[in-house]
Amino acid sequence: MAVSVAHRLGPVLCVVGARPNFMKMAPLLDAFANAPSSIPYRLVHTGQHYDVSMNEQHFRALDLPHPAVCLEVGGGSHAVQTAEIMRRFEPVIAAEAPSAVLVVGDVNSTLACALVAAKLGVPVIHVEAGLRSFDRRMPEEVNRVLTDQIAELLFTTEVAAGDNLVREGVDAAHVYFVGNVMIDSLHRCLPLAVPAADTLAESGRAPPPAYGLVTLHRPSNVDDPVVLARLLDALVDCSDQLPLVWPLHPRTHAQLEAMNLMPQLDRPGLHVLPPVDYRRMLGLLRQARLVLTDSGGLQEESTALGIPCFTLRENTERPVTVTEGTNTVVGTDTGAIRDGVAAVLADHGKRGRIPAGWDGRAATRIAEVLQRWLAARYRDVA
């Protein structure tokens, strides 16, 4: 039975903190606003992603509403950042009296806000639950595991994620396989994608007839001088086979500068760009021959678009992109990266299929479940 929760419940506090969260939250807020009985929400931006230019351009590109609350936390170590988010988020819960706190993904904001909510007795909802790399050296893996242990409602993007949760002792009755909200954003924004030629022209580059798309930002890759130098050698090598377009993340740019590696980017086959917003990134991705990345989101988006992807990490928390999709985990081995690119150019690249639930309607399914859950949990609220 439909219940008009908007007049009976406190809002759902929806938390974003960094760029990957934005793409997951945009379709959710749209689905909440357009549900049969709209779900009240308040958007909270922790400010974990503190590059102002990137922050604003991503909000505009995704048509995200202006956050109701901005915590302006900024950078710092994992401990400092997590603690500061918790300190600033606690009074927000006191002021808003939410019916639940909804977190997405696996950044520090995800865990920090989930911890505050759980300690104050506010239900935690985790979207993109159950993903596992099984590598506890990754800060994101710790965030994922701990958030799932305190969440009361868990939404998964792939079947294996639900299996992980049950194996870890999560009650299966609290787990819902709904599909992938990242792909919802892909479907919504693809018609608005900026053509690759326009993005390259804005940076004074002539578009190559074919190219690979590169992104690189994870600390395990860019903060280690040996690993970063090895990856750069691999990319330079690959650019002799296929031109590479590389929007350079601020963190990676800073590390390349600090290690005196920027001159190596001055190669005919390397088209280095400043950071781009989501619609420009989609335009670059849609026309790419292949992808070289350490981004979880691009693993999923390339699978949805049928573009071969090589993950520059030793593992992935998104195994369905490998078992069903177009993704291959190659690590940081120069030979494996070079061979993968050569295989695609010889038309022997991996061909996958689109996983179940990656149909652009995951957010709608989440809204339907959440509406029923709120009505059942707060049925006695006046």
Side-chain angles (χ1 to χ4, degrees):
M1 181 178 68
V3 176
S4 182
V5 297
H7 301 294
R8 300 184 61 189
L9 302 177
V12 176
L13 292 186
C14 298
V15 177
V16 295
R19 181 180 186 268
N21 298 160
F22 305 160
M23 280 83 84
K24 296 160 192 171
M25 192 61 73
L28 286 169
L29 299 188
D30 188 59
F32 293 172
N34 291 292
S37 297
S38 62
I39 298 170
Y41 69 84
R42 298 269 282 169
L43 181 61
V44 178
H45 187 3
T46 67
Q48 176 182 331
H49 190 161
Y50 55 93
D51 184 280
V52 175
S53 61
M54 290 183 71
N55 188 54
E56 291 180 353
Q57 66 184 217
H58 293 316
F59 265 69
R60 286 195 303 269
L62 289 160
D63 198 25
L64 264 171
H66 192 272
V69 179
C70 294
L71 302 184
E72 300 180 349
V73 168
S77 69
H78 285 285
V80 168
Q81 191 175 67
T82 302
E84 189 61 20
I85 294 168
M86 293 178 70
R87 187 181 73 82
R88 297 190 188 196
F89 187 58
E90 186 173 41
V92 175
I93 289 187
E96 298 286 347
S99 57
V101 168
L102 184 148
V103 295
V104 296
D106 53 22
V107 300
N108 288 340
S109 297
T110 303
L111 176 60
C113 292
L115 282 169
V116 173
K119 287 177 177 290
L120 294 176
V122 176
V124 174
I125 302 164
H126 190 199
V127 174
E128 203 182 68
L131 296 179
R132 297 290 182 267
S133 67
F134 302 103
D135 182 356
R136 294 290 179 92
R137 295 171 299 175
M138 294 178 64
E140 297 89 348
E141 181 79 353
V142 176
N143 292 342
R144 287 188 285 264
V145 171
L146 295 179
T147 300
D148 287 339
Q149 286 298 313
I150 56 179
E152 293 192 29
L153 193 58
L154 303 99
F155 294 108
T156 63
T157 62
E158 55 183 88
V159 173
D163 296 338
N164 293 336
L165 292 170
V166 172
R167 198 162 47 244
E168 293 169 4
V170 176
D171 187 343
H174 298 168
V175 179
Y176 293 83
F177 169 53
V178 291
N180 196 333
V181 291
M182 279 287 289
I183 307 307
D184 289 16
S185 276
L186 179 72
H187 281 275
R188 291 175 66 202
C189 294
L190 203 57
L192 304 173
V194 178
D198 292 354
T199 299
L200 286 160
E202 289 170 6
S203 296
R205 299 276 186 168
Y211 62 86
L213 176 63
V214 177
T215 74
L216 200 63
H217 75 282
R218 289 191 177 270
S220 58
N221 279 336
V222 304
D223 289 0
D224 185 322
V226 174
V227 174
L228 182 56
R230 183 164 65 240
L231 284 170
L232 186 55
D233 285 344
L235 294 175
V236 167
D237 193 11
C238 290
S239 73
D240 293 334
Q241 302 180 66
L242 176 72
L244 299 178
V245 175
W246 185 1
L248 199 56
H249 191 280
R251 183 189 193 102
T252 310
H253 192 170
Q255 294 299 97
L256 288 168
E257 289 275 15
M259 299 174 196
N260 296 316
L261 293 174
M262 285 297 291
Q264 294 191 38
L265 300 184
D266 188 17
R267 305 276 298 196
L270 279 179
H271 298 257
V272 179
L273 307 179
V276 297
D277 67 26
Y278 185 58
R279 292 180 185 176
R280 284 177 171 78
M281 181 61 81
L282 283 185
L284 293 172
L285 172 61
R286 180 169 60 181
Q287 295 176 243
R289 183 76 183 274
L290 56 85
V291 176
L292 295 159
T293 188
D294 59 7
S295 161
L298 272 175
Q299 293 174 50
E300 295 175 328
E301 290 162 339
S302 57
T303 278
L305 294 176
I307 299 169
C309 177
F310 298 98
T311 293
L312 308 178
R313 292 162 44 191
E314 301 303 323
N315 49 55
T316 178
E317 66 283 354
R318 293 163 167 84
V320 74
T321 64
V322 176
T323 58
E324 298 184 26
T326 57
N327 185 26
T328 302
V329 177
V330 292
T332 61
D333 179 76
T334 302
I337 297 168
R338 182 182 58 244
D339 292 348
V341 171
V344 172
L345 296 180
D347 204 26
H348 299 306
K350 188 174 184 180
R351 292 176 173 82
R353 63 184 179 89
I354 298 174
W358 292 27
D359 56 1
R361 292 186 51 80
T364 298
R365 289 189 282 270
I366 289 172
E368 290 169 351
V369 173
L370 181 55
Q371 199 160 45
R372 294 195 301 270
W373 182 85
L374 287 169
R377 184 180 180 91
Y378 295 101
R379 63 167 55 95
D380 297 325
V381 176

